[in-house]
Amino acid sequence: MSNKKKIIIVGGVAGGATAAARLRRLNEQDEIILVERGEYISFANCGLPYYIGGVITNRNKLLVQTVAGMSRRFKLDIRNLSEVTEIHRDRKSVSIRNLQTGEVYEETYDKLILSPGANPIVPNWPGVNEAEALFTLRNIPDTDRIKSYLDTNQPKHAVVIGGGFIGVEMIENLVERGVSVTLVEMANQVMTPLDIEMAAIVQSHMKSHGVEMIFQDAVEKLSDNGKKVKLASGKELSADMIILAIGVQPENKLAVQAGLAVGVRGAIQVNEYLQTEDPDIYAIGDAIEVVDYINGQPTVVPLAWGANRQGRIVADRINGQDVKFGGVLGTAIAKVFDLTVATTGNNEKTLKRLELPYQAIHIHPNSHAGYYPGAAVISLKLLFEPVSGKIYGAQAIAANGADKRIDVIATAIKGGLTVYDLPDLELAYAPPYSSAKDPVNMAGYVASNIVDGLVEIVQWHEIDEIVSKGELLIDVRDAAERENGFIPGSINIPLNDLRDRLDEVPMDRTIYVSCQVGLRGYLAARILTEHGYTVKNVDGGYRTYAAAFASRKA
Amino acid sequence: MSNKKKIIIVGGVAGGATAAARLRRLNEQDEIILVERGEYISFANCGLPYYIGGVITNRNKLLVQTVAGMSRRFKLDIRNLSEVTEIHRDRKSVSIRNLQTGEVYEETYDKLILSPGANPIVPNWPGVNEAEALFTLRNIPDTDRIKSYLDTNQPKHAVVIGGGFIGVEMIENLVERGVSVTLVEMANQVMTPLDIEMAAIVQSHMKSHGVEMIFQDAVEKLSDNGKKVKLASGKELSADMIILAIGVQPENKLAVQAGLAVGVRGAIQVNEYLQTEDPDIYAIGDAIEVVDYINGQPTVVPLAWGANRQGRIVADRINGQDVKFGGVLGTAIAKVFDLTVATTGNNEKTLKRLELPYQAIHIHPNSHAGYYPGAAVISLKLLFEPVSGKIYGAQAIAANGADKRIDVIATAIKGGLTVYDLPDLELAYAPPYSSAKDPVNMAGYVASNIVDGLVEIVQWHEIDEIVSKGELLIDVRDAAERENGFIPGSINIPLNDLRDRLDEVPMDRTIYVSCQVGLRGYLAARILTEHGYTVKNVDGGYRTYAAAFASRKA
């Protein structure tokens, strides 16, 4: 008890608040000072869009901990409306400005924890400073501003710039309030952790809820006090309000001023113990660079789980425990109207960029037994190493059951399991919850069959070119199913007739087969392979193909 | 292709049907004969109670595969309404009786797969044969009989004998149809995979839906054509119908006749390749003995996942693949009115019986962020080894979110993760789905704190005796919370006042602390420990204590 420590934490939300509470639980004597620039600590960032949308009606519910409550319970010295303006590493102190009085004073530390977060990016477009109803969303005052604007001005139309997770959540909540929305997104899809054919499913769904989406276009300037948005394409949009959600940049000012190294997107660099270059200065949360758990590359993942985990680990380290932060999968999830969209690990774009060998599968199982009411189709994409079966990542979209399967796969990855292990996962089955073969089991079976060489596949984006070269694609669905669409150039031999019609299938070339979701195509591929053919199945079937191209046209 | 095999499968549901389909996918030439005693193959056993209850309205949906459809698609020789009556191992053949014509003939095999399932146990109580409306539920004809009886006779009151998963599902579905139910159960709880304090939660919920429950009592005899049920206690119940759901026994007649070894409850013994003592005879599904994945003991787990997994593995083995069946966790789930009840791995009863060292924790986190609508409290119990943190098992009960957490923990177990790894699981978080610390992360934190010696705990069933011996139990909730009940003999010092009132807490003895769910008790324990006290926290708080004792009184 004699070596009482003095610890200063910069930033009182998520990671900072977690660190403070754990520090106190581990040590009753230490002096713990929590400095927060804003009025509020430990608020529910992730709930803000839903308060704006009216789903959460009680503003107080957003305030997870109050300054008074947390101070008392955890014996903390919380200084809100105070900003750390400078770090003096030589004398182990910080300068703190009281934002209410303007007073600046110095406070020494034994350990310093930087948890400053990240700031919404605001480009310097012409007219951006004159825009009267342009908002970013990061904290409680932002939220109050947006909500008050909506309540008072009853805007009819909003332009949301940026189609990431926050942009999409804001779109949903604006639409819930009766505001029509146009999304402007520089990329060719929403929610970049998804691959394009998966994003296409989300985009079709957003479109069905009346959202207008403009891709591969950028804002050139704002005019008329932000009532007009001119795009690089020349398009001009009118806007009663603008939500700017093009991303965040790590808040690194203090770290840079203190001469500490920053990396990807300016994020503060830390070692596996979350120490900066100065071993007495830790950094956590949205401001830091982390290691990608799958590919080992440095990255930035400004999400709540990491901030909380890191806050705990730093408190443990400072109190002598041997714990490390092991990197991030980037598991993420969002509700998009009636859909759940969830991802974990690396997507195909990332694997391609890093030139890692991979295989992708798309399956469409039911969220639970099809005969029990309420089952939804889960569009599930799994990425894995083609020889070892190592799991790289997964993406799932469904009206229900997507979160569970992504959580199971994220757990499997952390457990070092391969696609061969997924069929052995003994998941809870009764008709309201799953099938005797859970979707994750199914993904494992499909992936194992590929690793084992039982079937070869081609992807949705390859098949048009293959068919245009004159290759034979057999659609093995029943004739009636083709009335709702089919891959151009395919011929039809229903699966159940295939054995009787083998004389129609030439032996001298690769045969391509497809069906609705990939399952009957696989059966057809097995029959043909066993009869000596070289066969490839269209992965994910017509469903994946059609969804992807619906997006391209959108 | 030259060494074409002839394979006979006995039993066409679940495992048998799965084996047949996979056998064909792997080999187009083999002769595959599927012999099924009943009319139907591959039906949805697990859906039967819901068809009776009217939740599933279309009977055809229960028929996953038809004889004609599956025969054609998989080129199978399916012989339904046919029974294998004898195995002739010496000449590798079976006798088959055509149940429609009475004809008996012999069929040879290269490989034989036994998938005969299990039969509902029907004790020979006096009067059982005269009971006119006594039903067991196993297959489609059973289902038709029960549904027809309900439709025609409109019974008012049913006695369900046996409170296992099927009994409880039947109770729910009978209540849905307006039938009042009395449950008679020999044990002191429903659903024995749960520990008693967890079952208590289910029982309270069933009671709130009007179900009468009689525990630790047994049927002595039936009379009045099954309209009266006399119990060992002397109680007499009247019954318009009786559902008998006291368990199933492995169907081992063929195996025993063939001289193959049987084990636990008469289940057919197999090696890790699912071979019986005769390497050309495999056995799968509800009829076989399996290895408990946690404790390595032989057991019987008649559930769908294992049957399907085993059917696949046998087909792979027969076609030369090196795969094994690795044992079962016994992951199970049921919907009980508005609750989901899920378990995986070993429960406390089992660990106690095997004298394995263990620690149990109970937590009550929200299924998702409390500020987002629809959050439910999950009652989550985790069992683990007290030194290594190895996970033994878990039980979860909640209106929503229980299935996901049990699936994650089941996956963590298969990945060899310990309680120390659970905080590192990066699970999908947005307010509609979870919290920044998921309930599984939380369980990991709580368990790690115990393994690390940060806190000691006592259980709900220990505290009454401790207090009655005059030990000091401090309830650290706010005074107002005690109005809804408290542990008898506890005194009240609210957590926030504890530091100021340490002079009221004697140093010369162990101090016990409790709160509502265990979290504030933990904080209090940390404060007291840091001040030099010896402290124990009541695990799960008043909530676990009260729920457990509500059951005892029920």
Side-chain angles (χ1 to χ4, degrees):
Chain A
M1 308 259 167
S2 57
N3 46 359
K4 175 177 152 178
K5 303 179 288 293
K6 183 172 175 186
I7 303 153
I8 297 180
I9 304 168
V10 181
V13 190
T18 297
R22 176 71 172 172
L23 282 168
R24 176 58 70 225
R25 290 197 298 271
L26 294 178
N27 189 307
E28 184 72 6
Q29 303 306 324
D30 284 348
E31 185 177 355
I32 304 168
I33 303 171
L34 184 63
V35 186
E36 164 57 41
R37 185 160 44 187
E39 181 179 352
Y40 303 100
I41 56 160
S42 193
F43 58 85
N45 318 47
C46 303
L48 304 182
Y50 300 98
Y51 175 66
I52 293 169
V55 178
I56 299 167
T57 51
N58 184 349
R59 181 175 176 278
N60 282 334
K61 286 201 173 178
L62 299 174
L63 306 174
V64 179
Q65 303 262 16
T66 63
V67 171
M70 196 167 175
S71 298
R72 179 159 175 81
R73 176 152 298 174
F74 294 99
K75 208 175 73 170
L76 301 174
D77 180 353
I78 301 181
R79 305 181 189 176
N80 59 335
L81 295 168
S82 295
E83 183 172 9
V84 172
T85 56
E86 210 173 330
I87 302 171
H88 314 286
R89 287 171 58 189
D90 50 345
R91 53 182 188 273
K92 293 183 74 169
S93 76
V94 294
S95 294
I96 302 176
R97 180 198 308 273
N98 182 323
L99 296 178
Q100 291 172 291
T101 64
E103 179 204 0
V104 178
Y105 58 97
E106 234 177 281
E107 194 76 65
T108 60
Y109 63 79
D110 295 311
K111 303 288 174 189
L112 178 64
I113 302 172
L114 302 178
S115 182
N119 294 313
I121 297 168
V122 182
N124 55 355
W125 295 317
V128 75
N129 293 325
E130 291 73 39
E132 284 166 2
L134 181 144
F135 304 95
T136 56
L137 177 61
R138 172 112 196 116
N139 52 32
I140 300 276
D142 294 343
T143 307
D144 290 339
R145 271 191 291 275
I146 297 174
K147 188 153 199 304
S148 153
Y149 186 83
L150 284 162
D151 292 345
T152 310
N153 297 68
Q154 303 283 332
K156 295 223 174 347
H157 184 70
V159 171
V160 173
I161 303 170
F165 280 61
I166 293 175
V168 168
E169 285 179 345
M170 273 308 303
I171 289 171
E172 174 183 337
N173 280 289
L174 289 169
V175 170
E176 291 289 333
R177 291 194 55 140
V179 180
S180 77
V181 178
T182 300
L183 166 68
V184 178
E185 167 60 54
M186 281 185 70
N188 57 355
Q189 63 166 88
V190 295
M191 303 173 101
T192 48
L194 294 176
D195 287 314
I196 187 167
E197 78 282 13
M198 301 298 285
I201 300 169
V202 181
Q203 289 155 204
S204 293
H205 186 69
M206 290 172 68
K207 200 174 167 186
S208 77
H209 280 265
V211 180
E212 188 191 4
M213 287 166 280
I214 298 170
F215 292 107
Q216 293 176 288
D217 207 344
V219 173
E220 197 174 87
K221 65 171 186 182
L222 309 182
S223 58
D224 197 5
N225 295 331
K227 298 284 182 202
K228 295 260 174 269
V229 182
K230 176 98 181 283
L231 303 184
S233 62
K235 240 175 241 162
E236 199 164 63
L237 309 172
S238 62
D240 299 327
M241 67 186 292
I242 298 172
I243 301 281
L244 192 54
I246 60 173
V248 294
Q249 58 200 2
E251 170 67 69
N252 64 10
K253 225 166 36 190
L254 278 177
V256 168
Q257 167 268 316
L260 302 170
V262 297
V264 174
R265 283 192 255 161
I268 305 169
Q269 288 186 323
V270 293
N271 63 17
E272 60 192 347
Y273 305 117
L274 301 164
Q275 285 165 309
T276 64
E277 287 180 319
D278 184 328
D280 290 322
I281 306 180
Y282 293 82
I284 59 177
D286 294 0
I288 71 167
E289 184 182 275
V290 292
V291 173
D292 184 299
Y293 188 87
I294 299 295
N295 62 48
Q297 301 291 309
T299 184
V300 176
V301 178
L303 292 172
W305 177 85
N308 280 286
R309 183 78 192 104
Q310 292 154 12
R312 173 99 171 194
I313 287 173
V314 163
D316 286 354
R317 292 290 309 173
I318 287 174
N319 284 283
Q321 293 190 29
D322 181 27
V323 283
K324 294 176 190 176
F325 185 70
V328 294
L329 290 171
T331 308
I333 193 166
K335 174 170 143 18
V336 185
F337 297 102
D338 311 318
L339 291 180
T340 295
V341 180
T343 78
T344 191
N346 283 183
N347 61 19
E348 189 169 354
K349 282 176 290 203
T350 302
L351 297 169
K352 214 173 246 172
R353 178 169 54 76
L354 297 175
E355 299 181 357
L356 290 167
Y358 72 88
Q359 186 67 266
I361 57 162
H362 301 77
I363 62 172
H364 306 276
N366 279 318
S367 57
H368 62 250
Y371 54 79
Y372 189 92
V377 169
I378 301 180
S379 293
L380 176 60
K381 178 176 186 175
L382 183 73
L383 293 145
F384 54 96
E385 208 279 334
V387 177
S388 66
K390 174 188 165 171
I391 303 166
Y392 284 137
Q395 299 158 46
I397 302 173
N400 62 66
D403 56 331
K404 178 161 72 173
R405 277 57 186 220
I406 289 298
D407 278 359
V408 166
I409 293 171
T411 304
I413 292 174
K414 286 279 172 95
L417 300 180
T418 72
V419 298
Y420 284 110
D421 299 308
L422 297 184
D424 277 326
L425 294 181
E426 196 180 330
L427 305 171
Y429 164 54
Y433 305 102
S434 182
S435 299
K437 297 184 190 91
D438 186 84
V440 177
N441 295 146
M442 285 299 304
Y445 281 130
V446 172
S448 307
N449 283 337
I450 292 167
V451 178
D452 286 342
L454 280 178
V455 63
E456 286 188 80
I457 55 173
V458 290
Q459 290 294 328
W460 60 275
H461 55 83
E462 299 174 296
I463 193 66
D464 274 356
E465 194 186 335
I466 288 167
V467 174
S468 76
K469 282 184 182 153
E471 298 295 340
L472 179 63
L473 172 62
I474 305 174
D475 180 349
V476 301
R477 296 178 301 170
D478 292 337
E481 295 175 81
R482 284 169 63 87
E483 285 164 22
N484 297 319
F486 54 85
I487 301 175
S490 60
I491 66 154
N492 183 222
I493 302 179
L495 174 61
N496 283 359
D497 300 340
L498 184 60
R499 287 188 184 88
D500 299 335
R501 293 173 62 179
L502 287 178
D503 54 348
E504 297 173 39
V505 185
M507 285 290 297
D508 60 347
R509 51 204 279 207
T510 298
I511 305 299
Y512 297 86
V513 291
S514 73
C515 64
Q516 183 63 21
V517 296
L519 181 57
R520 282 173 291 170
Y522 164 61
L523 300 180
R526 289 303 309 157
I527 291 170
L528 291 169
T529 302
E530 285 283 302
H531 282 93
Y533 289 89
T534 301
V535 198
K536 295 188 182 188
N537 183 28
V538 178
D539 175 59
Y542 181 70
R543 189 170 179 127
T544 293
Y545 175 92
F549 286 99
S551 137
R552 287 197 178 176
K553 287 166 204 151
Chain B
M1 310 257 169
S2 56
N3 45 0
K4 175 177 150 178
K5 301 179 289 293
K6 183 175 176 184
I7 302 152
I8 296 179
I9 304 168
V10 181
V13 190
T18 296
R22 176 72 171 174
L23 282 167
R24 176 57 72 225
R25 290 198 297 272
L26 294 177
N27 189 307
E28 184 70 7
Q29 302 307 322
D30 284 348
E31 186 177 353
I32 304 168
I33 302 170
L34 184 64
V35 186
E36 165 56 42
R37 186 160 41 186
E39 181 178 353
Y40 304 100
I41 56 160
S42 193
F43 58 85
N45 318 47
C46 303
L48 304 181
Y50 300 98
Y51 175 66
I52 292 169
V55 178
I56 300 167
T57 51
N58 184 348
R59 182 175 177 278
N60 282 332
K61 286 199 174 177
L62 299 174
L63 307 172
V64 180
Q65 304 261 16
T66 64
V67 172
M70 195 168 176
S71 299
R72 181 160 174 82
R73 176 152 297 174
F74 294 99
K75 209 175 75 173
L76 301 175
D77 179 352
I78 301 181
R79 305 181 190 175
N80 59 336
L81 295 168
S82 295
E83 183 171 10
V84 171
T85 55
E86 210 173 330
I87 301 171
H88 314 288
R89 286 169 61 188
D90 50 344
R91 53 184 189 270
K92 292 182 75 169
S93 76
V94 296
S95 293
I96 302 176
R97 181 198 306 272
N98 181 322
L99 295 178
Q100 290 172 292
T101 65
E103 180 204 1
V104 178
Y105 57 98
E106 235 178 282
E107 194 76 63
T108 60
Y109 62 79
D110 296 312
K111 303 287 174 190
L112 178 64
I113 302 172
L114 302 179
S115 180
N119 294 313
I121 297 168
V122 181
N124 55 355
W125 295 316
V128 75
N129 292 324
E130 291 73 37
E132 282 166 4
L134 181 146
F135 305 95
T136 56
L137 177 61
R138 172 114 194 113
N139 53 32
I140 299 277
D142 293 341
T143 308
D144 290 340
R145 271 191 291 273
I146 297 173
K147 190 157 198 303
S148 154
Y149 185 83
L150 285 162
D151 292 345
T152 309
N153 297 67
Q154 304 283 332
K156 298 226 175 339
H157 185 69
V159 171
V160 173
I161 303 169
F165 280 60
I166 293 175
V168 169
E169 285 179 346
M170 273 309 302
I171 289 171
E172 174 182 338
N173 280 289
L174 289 169
V175 171
E176 292 289 333
R177 290 195 57 142
V179 180
S180 77
V181 178
T182 300
L183 166 68
V184 178
E185 167 60 54
M186 279 185 72
N188 56 355
Q189 63 165 93
V190 296
M191 304 173 101
T192 47
L194 294 176
D195 288 315
I196 188 166
E197 78 283 11
M198 301 299 284
I201 302 169
V202 181
Q203 288 155 207
S204 294
H205 187 68
M206 290 172 69
K207 199 174 169 188
S208 76
H209 280 266
V211 179
E212 187 191 3
M213 286 166 281
I214 298 170
F215 292 107
Q216 294 176 285
D217 206 346
V219 173
E220 196 174 88
K221 66 171 186 179
L222 309 181
S223 57
D224 197 7
N225 293 330
K227 297 284 181 199
K228 296 260 174 270
V229 182
K230 176 98 181 284
L231 304 185
S233 63
K235 243 175 238 163
E236 198 163 64
L237 308 172
S238 63
D240 299 329
M241 68 185 292
I242 298 172
I243 302 281
L244 192 53
I246 59 173
V248 295
Q249 60 200 1
E251 169 67 68
N252 65 9
K253 223 166 36 187
L254 278 177
V256 168
Q257 166 270 317
L260 301 170
V262 298
V264 175
R265 281 191 256 162
I268 305 169
Q269 289 188 321
V270 293
N271 63 17
E272 60 192 349
Y273 304 117
L274 300 166
Q275 285 164 309
T276 64
E277 288 181 316
D278 183 331
D280 290 322
I281 305 179
Y282 293 83
I284 60 177
D286 294 358
I288 71 166
E289 184 183 275
V290 292
V291 173
D292 184 300
Y293 188 86
I294 299 294
N295 63 46
Q297 301 291 311
T299 185
V300 175
V301 179
L303 291 172
W305 177 85
N308 280 284
R309 183 79 192 105
Q310 293 155 10
R312 175 96 170 199
I313 286 172
V314 163
D316 286 355
R317 292 289 311 173
I318 288 175
N319 284 282
Q321 292 189 31
D322 181 27
V323 283
K324 293 177 190 174
F325 185 71
V328 295
L329 290 171
T331 308
I333 193 167
K335 174 172 145 11
V336 184
F337 297 102
D338 311 317
L339 291 180
T340 295
V341 180
T343 78
T344 191
N346 283 183
N347 61 19
E348 190 168 353
K349 282 177 290 202
T350 303
L351 297 169
K352 213 172 249 175
R353 180 170 52 78
L354 297 175
E355 298 180 358
L356 290 166
Y358 72 88
Q359 185 65 268
I361 57 163
H362 301 76
I363 62 172
H364 306 276
N366 279 318
S367 57
H368 61 250
Y371 54 79
Y372 189 91
V377 169
I378 301 180
S379 294
L380 177 60
K381 178 175 186 176
L382 183 73
L383 292 145
F384 54 96
E385 208 279 332
V387 177
S388 66
K390 174 189 166 172
I391 303 166
Y392 285 137
Q395 299 158 47
I397 302 173
N400 62 67
D403 55 331
K404 178 161 73 174
R405 276 57 185 221
I406 288 298
D407 278 0
V408 165
I409 294 171
T411 304
I413 292 174
K414 286 279 173 96
L417 300 180
T418 72
V419 298
Y420 284 111
D421 299 308
L422 297 184
D424 277 326
L425 295 182
E426 196 181 330
L427 305 172
Y429 164 55
Y433 305 101
S434 184
S435 299
K437 298 185 191 93
D438 186 85
V440 177
N441 297 147
M442 285 299 305
Y445 281 129
V446 172
S448 307
N449 284 337
I450 292 168
V451 179
D452 286 342
L454 280 178
V455 64
E456 286 189 79
I457 56 174
V458 290
Q459 290 294 327
W460 60 274
H461 56 82
E462 300 174 294
I463 193 65
D464 275 354
E465 194 185 334
I466 288 167
V467 175
S468 75
K469 283 188 184 149
E471 298 295 340
L472 180 62
L473 171 63
I474 305 175
D475 181 349
V476 300
R477 296 178 301 170
D478 293 336
E481 295 176 82
R482 284 169 63 88
E483 284 164 23
N484 297 317
F486 54 86
I487 300 175
S490 58
I491 65 152
N492 184 222
I493 302 180
L495 174 61
N496 283 358
D497 300 339
L498 185 59
R499 287 188 184 88
D500 300 335
R501 293 174 61 179
L502 287 178
D503 54 349
E504 299 173 39
V505 186
M507 284 291 296
D508 60 347
R509 50 206 279 208
T510 298
I511 306 299
Y512 296 85
V513 290
S514 73
C515 64
Q516 183 63 20
V517 296
L519 181 57
R520 281 174 290 171
Y522 165 63
L523 300 181
R526 289 303 307 154
I527 291 171
L528 292 171
T529 301
E530 284 284 303
H531 282 94
Y533 289 88
T534 301
V535 198
K536 295 190 182 188
N537 183 27
V538 178
D539 175 58
Y542 181 70
R543 189 171 179 125
T544 293
Y545 175 91
F549 286 99
S551 136
R552 285 198 180 176
K553 288 167 204 154

